[in-house]
């Protein structure tokens, strides 16, 4: 249930008074060092708001620029981190407003062409450490592709309220202050957002609150990789459920059911050339990074990601993305 998704409150006193004072006074190096500490968490925040890895990068840069230009508006005290979140959230709301992007309904990821995957290796930067003991582990249920797509249905301020309250653990008062609204209005927005999620999100088992892959996911990913590298369509078919769904954002294609994807598998595993796949993870989901060696080529070149959703021992959904984010996953362009 959305109301139980709170992972941790956002600590507002993690920055030393001296460092903040120097940054606000105009020390560029101090300011850069200070905001850089928050880059990854702000990037994840913007990603949740927008659903796009690359747009989130742009919005983090916009956040830092706005913060520098308006550093004089910071009133001091322990709230520097919250002040950055205010700027980032408003930058996201402005970007959504400019894009006029609306998602009136959601049948599949094909209707969310801006959706992109998020590398787990970067999510893991938010794990608690001695330097950042208050960091929050990003749980699967708060970052998986289905969750990201469903919250795109929410009006922007409802989306912001949900993320701040249920994912970051902010209080009603803090959220209302950030959004320049009343506590009653913020609570109303949260209730409407939670109702949408209850209606649209599938029930997940308790282990979905973690961040590590399950044994089931590991086994299926190994099988998926092996079948593709051997160009064994029958083995690939054996891994998927009868009602399998395949989408390929930003393309508007949606293939539902084994009968629809079986011909694609037979052709796709042999016609383009030879495949080499590398196991990775995106959005806390098992993922295969595919490299293709086309006929006449001497190298395997980055081609696509397949993000898998697994239920009851079968692959029930495959979301395919292009190779544009291989570097973000720490993967080379060729093998």
């Amino acid at each position: 249930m959305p109301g139980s998704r709170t992972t941790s409150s956002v600590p507002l006193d993690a920055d030393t008074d001296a460092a903040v004072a120097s940054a606000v006074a105009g020390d560029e190096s101090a300011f850069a060092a200070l905001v850089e500490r928050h880059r990854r968490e702000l990037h994840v925040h913007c990603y949740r708001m927008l659903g796009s890895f690359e747009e989130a990068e742009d919005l983090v840069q916009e956040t830092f620029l706005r913060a520098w230009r308006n550093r004089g508006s910071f009133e001091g005290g322990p709230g520097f981190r919250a002040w950055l979140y205010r700027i980032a959230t408003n930058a996201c709301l402005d970007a959504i407003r400019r894009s006029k992007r609306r998602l009136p309904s959601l049948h599949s990821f094909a209707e969310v062409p801006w959706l992109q995957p998020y590398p787990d290796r970067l999510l893991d930067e938010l794990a608690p450490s001695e330097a950042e003991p208050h960091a929050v582990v990003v749980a699967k249920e708060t970052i998986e592709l289905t969750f990201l797509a469903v919250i795109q249905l929410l009006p922007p301020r409802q989306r912001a309220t949900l993320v701040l309250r249920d994912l970051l653990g902010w209080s009603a008062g803090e959220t209302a202050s950030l959004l320049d609204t009343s506590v009653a209005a913020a609570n109303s927005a949260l209730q409407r957002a939670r109702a949408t999620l209850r209606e649209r999100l599938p029930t997940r088992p308790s282990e979905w609150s973690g961040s590590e892959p399950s044994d089931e996911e590991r086994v299926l990913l190994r099988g998926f990789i092996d079948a593709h590298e051997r160009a064994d369509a029958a083995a690939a078919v054996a891994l998927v459920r009868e009602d399998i769904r395949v989408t390929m954002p930003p393309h508007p294609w949606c293939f539902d059911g084994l009968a629809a994807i079986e011909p694609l598998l037979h052709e796709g595993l042999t016609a383009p050339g030879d495949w080499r796949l590398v196991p990775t993870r995106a959005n806390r989901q098992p993922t295969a990074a595919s490299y293709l060696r086309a006929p006449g080529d001497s190298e395997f070149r980055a081609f696509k990601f397949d993000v898998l959703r697994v239920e009851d021992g079968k692959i029930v959904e495959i979301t395919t993305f292009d190779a544009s984010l291989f570097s973000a996953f720490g993967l080379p362009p060729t093998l």
Side-chain angles (χ1 to χ4, degrees):
M1 174 177 171
S4 64
R5 294 173 184 271
T6 300
T7 51
S8 173
S9 62
V10 176
L12 304 183
D13 56 357
D15 302 298
T16 66
D17 290 342
V20 172
S22 295
V24 173
D27 184 328
E28 289 190 35
S29 60
F31 184 87
L34 194 58
V35 297
E36 193 63 33
R37 289 178 53 186
H38 304 292
R39 177 180 292 275
R40 183 58 55 208
E41 63 178 308
L42 290 172
H43 189 255
V44 172
H45 178 61
C46 293
Y47 174 72
R48 282 170 168 151
M49 287 289 296
L50 300 166
S52 165
F53 184 93
E54 291 172 321
E55 289 178 13
E57 287 190 325
D58 293 340
L59 267 296
V60 171
Q61 289 303 115
E62 174 67 18
T63 295
F64 290 169
L65 284 171
R66 290 188 185 190
W68 173 252
R69 292 169 183 160
N70 297 286
R71 62 191 182 278
S73 67
F74 178 64
E75 297 177 353
F80 188 78
R81 192 176 193 175
W83 181 68
L84 288 178
Y85 267 96
R86 174 190 288 271
I87 295 171
T89 302
N90 284 320
C92 289
L93 293 174
D94 289 345
I96 294 168
R97 192 178 303 114
R98 286 194 304 270
S99 72
K100 297 182 173 58
R101 184 182 288 165
R102 296 292 181 268
L103 190 64
S105 62
L106 180 63
H107 171 68
S108 75
F109 296 153
E111 297 164 81
V112 195
W114 58 89
L115 187 67
Q116 291 183 307
Y118 202 107
D120 272 26
R121 76 183 194 100
L122 301 183
L123 294 175
D124 290 341
E125 292 180 6
L126 294 181
S129 65
E130 289 186 10
E132 293 290 345
H134 299 294
V136 176
V137 174
V138 179
K140 184 175 188 175
E141 63 177 357
T142 71
I143 201 71
E144 60 147 342
L145 291 177
T146 299
F147 178 80
L148 264 293
V150 168
I151 67 171
Q152 300 303 303
L153 285 167
L154 301 175
R157 291 174 72 82
Q158 279 189 35
R159 196 183 314 167
T161 301
L162 179 89
V163 170
L164 293 167
R165 291 291 310 278
D166 283 352
L167 306 191
L168 296 176
W170 285 41
S171 71
E174 290 167 334
T175 302
S177 175
L178 185 150
L179 295 173
D180 293 321
T181 189
S182 67
V183 170
N187 284 337
S188 176
L190 179 62
Q191 294 307 315
R192 292 195 300 273
R194 286 175 175 173
T196 299
L197 264 62
R198 279 194 296 269
E199 177 186 348
R200 300 303 302 264
L201 282 179
T203 302
R204 299 302 195 198
S206 59
E207 61 265 23
W208 271 64
S209 61
S211 59
E212 294 301 316
S214 67
D215 291 340
E216 185 179 74
E217 288 176 333
R218 291 188 181 97
V219 168
L220 284 168
L221 181 59
R222 284 197 298 269
F224 183 87
I225 289 173
D226 178 65
H228 280 68
E229 292 189 338
R230 292 188 296 106
D232 188 340
V237 166
L239 299 172
V240 307
R241 205 165 68 184
E242 190 72 26
D243 60 349
I244 178 74
R245 168 172 288 176
V246 178
T247 52
M248 306 174 185
H251 302 293
W253 308 322
C254 178
F255 303 94
D256 279 325
L258 197 52
I261 74 156
E262 197 164 0
L264 298 176
L265 279 173
H266 281 282
E267 182 179 356
L269 292 183
T270 57
D274 299 318
W275 294 100
R276 289 291 180 270
L277 277 67
V278 175
T280 185
R281 286 188 57 86
N283 300 77
R284 303 301 192 203
Q285 297 176 242
T287 301
S290 295
Y291 291 80
L292 174 66
R293 184 176 63 191
D297 201 348
S298 60
E299 293 185 300
F300 288 88
R301 303 185 186 277
F303 190 80
K304 65 183 175 74
F305 289 105
D306 288 310
V307 183
L308 312 182
R309 183 163 66 85
V310 171
E311 288 183 12
D312 301 324
K314 292 287 187 179
I315 298 169
V316 298
E317 189 164 18
I318 302 171
T319 310
T320 300
F321 298 97
D322 66 22
S324 59
L325 293 180
F326 265 56
S327 61
F329 280 77
L331 295 169
T334 58
L335 292 179

